[in-house]
Amino acid sequence: MYKGREGQWAFYLHRLSGLAILAYFLIHVISISLFVFGEKIYMAVHGGYDFILFRLALILVAAGVMYHAMNGLRIIVMDFTGKGVAYQRQLWYGVLLISVVWTIYVAFKVLPRVAAGV
Amino acid sequence: MTIRARTMQDAKQQSHTNAELNWWIFMRISGLILIFLVLGHIYMTFVQVSESDATFDAVINKLSNPAWKFYDWLLLALTMLHGVNGARYSIDDYVRSRPNRAWVRNSFFTVVAMIFALGTVGLFSFNPN
Amino acid sequence: MNINVKILRFDPEKDKKQHWETYQVEASPGDRVLDVINHVKWYIDPTVTFRRSCAHGICGSDAMLINGRNRLACKTLLQDIVKDGGTITAEPIRGLKVEKDLLVDMEPFFDAYRSIMPYFINDDAPPAAERLQSPEDAERMDQSSNCILCACCTTSCPIFWVNGSYLGPASIVQAHRFIFDTRDAATQQRLNIMNQNTGVWRCRTAYNCTEACPRDIPITQLIEEVKRAVMYQQA
Amino acid sequence: MHHRYDVLVVGAGGAGLMAALYAAKGNVSVACISKLYPTRSHTGAAQGGVGAALGNIQEDHWEWHMYDTIKGGDYLTDQDAAEIFAKDVIEAVYELEHMGLPFSRTEEGKIAQRKFGGHTRDFGKAAVERSCYAKDRTGHMILQTLYQQNVKEGTTFFNEFHVLDLIIENGRCSGVVAYELSTGEIHTFHAKAVIMAAGGYGRIFKITSNALTLTGDLMSIYYRKGLPLEDMEFYQFHPTGLTKLGILVTEGIRGEGGILRNKDGERFMERYAPTLKDLAPRDIVSRSIYTEIREGRGVGPDKDAVNIDLTHLPRDVIENKLSEITDLSRTYLGLDPVKDLVPIQPTAHYAMGGIPTTIDGECIADDDGNLIEGLYAAGEQACVSLHGANRLGTNSLGDLIVFGRRSGVNAAKYARHAELAEMPEAPETESLALIERLKSADGSENAARIRKELQETMMNNVGIFRNGPDMEKQVEILHDLRARYQHVGVQDPSQRFNSELIEAIELGFMLDCAEAMTHSALNRTESRGAHDREDFHTRDDVNWLKHSMAYKDFSHPGSVRIGYKPVVFKGERGYETVNTYTPTAPGDLKFPPKPRTF
Ligand SMILES: Cc1cc2nc3c(=O)[nH]c(=O)nc-3n(C[C@H](O)[C@H](O)[C@H](O)COP(=O)(O)OP(=O)(O)OC[C@H]3O[C@@H](n4cnc5c(N)ncnc54)[C@H](O)[C@@H]3O)c2cc1C
Ligand code: HEM
Ligand code: SF4
Ligand code: F3S
Ligand code: FES
């Protein structure tokens, strides 16, 4: 593996998170749209949402979205200001920090519910 | 489309559209808007409430408000365009043989267009009664 | 000190695929990686093949993937990358066809270079003496004109590895050199070349290029400047 | 494979690229063959600048430049060459600017100039700003700019083609034979005119500022044909190379105010050159440094260096105007010129001698000035006798552009009218034999070892200070090395990119250059310019105001016959300049030899 530094990993993660969210999003749209076909089918599919692994994975999706969004902001700042390029490393650490804090917050909110089965 | 410009002439021929520039700008603008839409959506439907609260009735309730309808549709459309264009970048980068690329790209676009149609129809064919 | 030199070897006349070979070399910490590889070639295995010329980082011949990063072998000192008893690895730069050992086909790289019209264009009759240019305007070209076309940047770019049609950071740096030259008259054309699928828009700001440049050119910054220039031109 | 062009340029450094550009303007088909990618040529390493009397900072005149060049060359300079040069270089520099070269600028927006060793105002009164520079990477900019212009003009390049032989029959050159590195194939190039511009041969010395590829190939090829090499005893040691490595620290550093200091911190140049001090010509500064070292005032672990002191200069001068060398000393010595003294020692740098040419670049075949038809040379490898016994800093880049251009223009002019000469049957025979011998030799000797011994012994015996006994010893050593060279065998059997083979071939070329140099130096029993003999301390204008011409002596293998050629004082040859200046009548200006003090 090429020993790139922050920028390389920021890029790979951005791409990976973007594609992952896209995949989730497409599935999500399909499943939501199913209510066109009536409550039975909709609830049959949504019943699956109770599945524990799925709900844990959703935490990851939330994490990915936050990373992608914050790093997207970092990219925009870099694109339009010279300072953004100069401080790209610091910005990336900021992005990671926010993502981690957010993920913990989400987990903190969601995990008890998962455990309680609601 | 992604032909390598070998000479100045090639390059000139290829450079007559602003498509890539426009997409580039679109990614940034849509990204900015999506921050609010997507994070808001996640917060409201996942963090604040449980997924299992998204029952049929709950969805029906929410969508009876046109503002939410618009919110959801914007979310759907922007995310779709933003995500699909992002995926196109990746396809162009990783699928390097020309016939394969055309094939992968076209089938991907078709599937996404169908999902988009499904989503839109879903949103608007919805009638609270 | 004693170090191991691991070189990724490939001779198309006899090998099916690349393989590592390791040589033990006695060296001193102030030696350049190039000295060590030369030592291997001169006294241990003369078939080791690579390019080199100036030996002090000005000709751009000896870009290699050394210990996982693109660098010039002649501008990398052992003391900065290895300890006594340690190992250094040398691989050919990526994204270009390996011809033999550490030597790659540079033609695609120079093709991309040539496609951005890397030459001064101004058809107005020049004055008898020099064209005037303020020191500040001259300074605009300071960073970009420093490029020695070593390809360290382009071959460290994760986009270029997978997508050879990307013109690459080196070409963009060269374009920048002319785009921001107040005396040059072909800015529009070059911006148009940059404004395509294979141009600046493929850059995903991965910064590997900037980290790799042996001339310390802030490449990503220059690419961003070109992106903005294209945008404002079209606006 | 066989190719045919009107004009063929060998070498893609500053001289070769300039020649190719101007030959192409002459409406003939041109190709350029180079063993390196053009932008890898060593012209790119030149830092300081190119000297031209633009007078952008202070009043300056080409006559002053001409005088400095001649005096700097210790009066061995051909004065017609110096006159053409001093005039033409002004326009040539403007032309580079018009090609887009990003020069540094003065406040008014003109090309910036700075002081350089040996360049003075009013015939030696005081140092003058004459060196036009682009930061401290002028050579890099020249090389890039010229390559760019060639890309623009669509010049045909054969990159990584190694020229092995010139095809010369009956005093007429009809092409070259080259080895294609990527395939191992031999190509013959048939041409009406050939311009050689293959650079210097500093690699025969251990400590040198020259690239690993500067091995005197074309000089040796010329010499092997029984043709002369001129003034080979004059080899310049640049005073300031980074210790041990030889990497050049530009003279511009002294032009900007850097000071040489010995171990006591004394500014010793005040004792050797009271007027110009640190900016005296290179031969004088190099010798002064060596004298300091010999007398025990050196610095460093081996006391074999002196310091250059920049610490009194403003940080931004060091960081900006001298960024290149600041980077080099940080990278290689871990020293920061802003606050540290940087240890330097003289380094083998530039060949004043080489293939003798006329002021039009035509190659001279013998003492009487007969020419090889259709063969031209320019750049460091040629000897127009512009630099005489010692080149002034910045005059080489000027040489490349002035005489590169002249040879390009003249070769094209010649090629427009000339017929293609007959090619001999199988012109590649000798080159094939050379390769075959190296591939099949017993291999009991290692090329790298021989090269190392060559470099070390040349450094010790034919270096800055020379004397008869040492050089006679060196003659023996060269005999021995040459005998051992016969046993060098190439172990890499491959056809493609056989760099081991190339290095072995280059070693053969280097041995020739070393041989011509040693014999010429031994023969010249005086001290002049860069040629300093401990056993003949003074300049001897009565007996030695003449160029030496070294010929390979085929009747006694390994020895050299020396002939002579007069120094040109009056423009008796008659000439025209390429530019728009009206030339002064030939010989209007001449500078008779005077003692050389600075
Ligand atoms: C470190 C350094 C700093 C210098 N600074 C200055 C300065 O500030 N000012 C100044 O005036 N001068 C300076 N000089 C001197 C000047 O730069 C050189 O003398 C000059 O660049 C030589 O140019 P060239 O075109 O003759 O050869 P080069 O630039 O050396 O080019 C030689 C060309 O010949 C080709 N070649 C060689 N052999 C073969 C072969 N067998 N077959 C095919 N091709 C071949 C090579 O590929 C190359 O393209 C400096 C020199 C050095 C080394
Ligand atoms: C939430 C706010 C978002 C912001 C601020 C944002 C921002 C961005 C930006 C600026 C880019 C361009 C990257 C570049 O040019 O280097 C990008 C690329 C991308 N985005 Fe988003 N985005 C967001 C949401 C999403 C969503 C929800 C998806 C999924 C559907 C998504 C999928 C992608 C993909 C696949 C890419 C391409 C990645 C690449 O080419 O490397 N983005 N995003
Ligand atoms: S920009 Fe830097 S890394 Fe890239 S080719 Fe030029 S010098 Fe090499
Ligand atoms: S590594 Fe590549 S993606 Fe852009 S910032 Fe450099 S060119
Ligand atoms: S050998 Fe010239 S850059 Fe390394």
Side-chain angles (χ1 to χ4, degrees), chain B residues 17-35:
Chain B
T17 81
N18 278 338
E20 286 301 324
L21 164 64
N22 294 336
W23 277 117
W24 186 81
I25 295 173
F26 170 78
M27 289 304 268
R28 274 130 193 90
I29 296 176
S30 61
L32 282 177
I33 303 173
L34 281 172
I35 293 182

Side-chain angles (χ1 to χ4, degrees), chain D residues 125 155 167 213 226 368 392 418 467 541 555:
Chain D
K125 296 259 162 56
T155 307
I167 309 168
T213 44
D368 303 327
L392 286 190
N467 61 59
D541 289 333
S555 50

Side-chain angles (χ1 to χ4, degrees), chain D residues 14 27 43 99 102 150 164 191 207 278 321 343 421 427 548 566 571:
Chain D
N27 261 331
T43 295
M99 292 177 186
N150 275 286
L164 296 182
I207 305 251
D278 299 279
K321 290 192 180 167
S548 24

Side-chain angles (χ1 to χ4, degrees), chain A residues 55-101:
Chain A
R55 293 180 60 171
L56 292 181
L58 279 181
I59 298 177
L60 280 185
V61 171
V65 169
M66 185 51 97
Y67 171 80
H68 187 92
M70 289 304 116
N71 194 55
L73 269 184
R74 165 177 165 273
I75 292 173
I76 294 170
V77 171
M78 295 188 313
D79 284 336
F80 294 98
T81 71
K83 283 266 182 307
V85 173
Y87 294 102
Q88 59 102 358
R89 281 200 196 109
Q90 289 83 338
L91 285 175
W92 191 59
Y93 290 122
V95 167
L96 287 186
L97 186 73
I98 296 175
S99 309
V100 169
V101 170

Side-chain angles (χ1 to χ4, degrees), chain A residues 14-15 18 22 68-69, chain B residues 27-28 31 34-35 79 82 86 89, chain C residues 204:
Chain A
H14 191 79
R15 183 160 271 195
L22 178 65
H68 187 92
Chain B
M27 289 304 268
R28 274 130 193 90
L34 281 172
I35 293 182
T79 311
H82 179 102
Y89 290 156
Chain C
R204 294 265 89 81

Side-chain angles (χ1 to χ4, degrees), chain D residues 219 222-232 354-357 363-370 372 381 383 516 548-552 561-565:
Chain D
M219 288 189 198
Y222 195 71
Y223 175 70
R224 281 178 190 181
K225 305 236 168 264
L227 297 167
L229 294 179
E230 183 181 344
D231 288 345
M232 290 297 279
I355 297 171
T357 72
C363 294
I364 298 176
D366 55 31
D367 295 356
D368 303 327
N370 289 313
I372 303 281
Q381 154 241 70
C383 177
S548 24
M549 305 275 271
Y551 298 83
K552 211 174 187 57
R561 179 172 68 78
I562 308 278
Y564 300 99
K565 196 167 75 93

Side-chain angles (χ1 to χ4, degrees), chain D residues 23-36:
Chain D
K25 285 193 209 284
N27 261 331
V28 291
S29 66
V30 180
C32 184
I33 311 177
S34 170
K35 69 176 175 183
L36 303 171

Side-chain angles (χ1 to χ4, degrees), chain C residues 51 53 74-75 99-100 177, chain D residues 160 213 327 332 494 496:
Chain C
R51 290 193 181 92
S53 179
C74 65
K75 229 184 160 183
E99 296 278 9
K100 189 172 171 186
R177 144 82 184 80
Chain D
E160 303 197 323
T213 44
D327 180 40
Y332 294 107
S494 59
R496 313 183 58 227

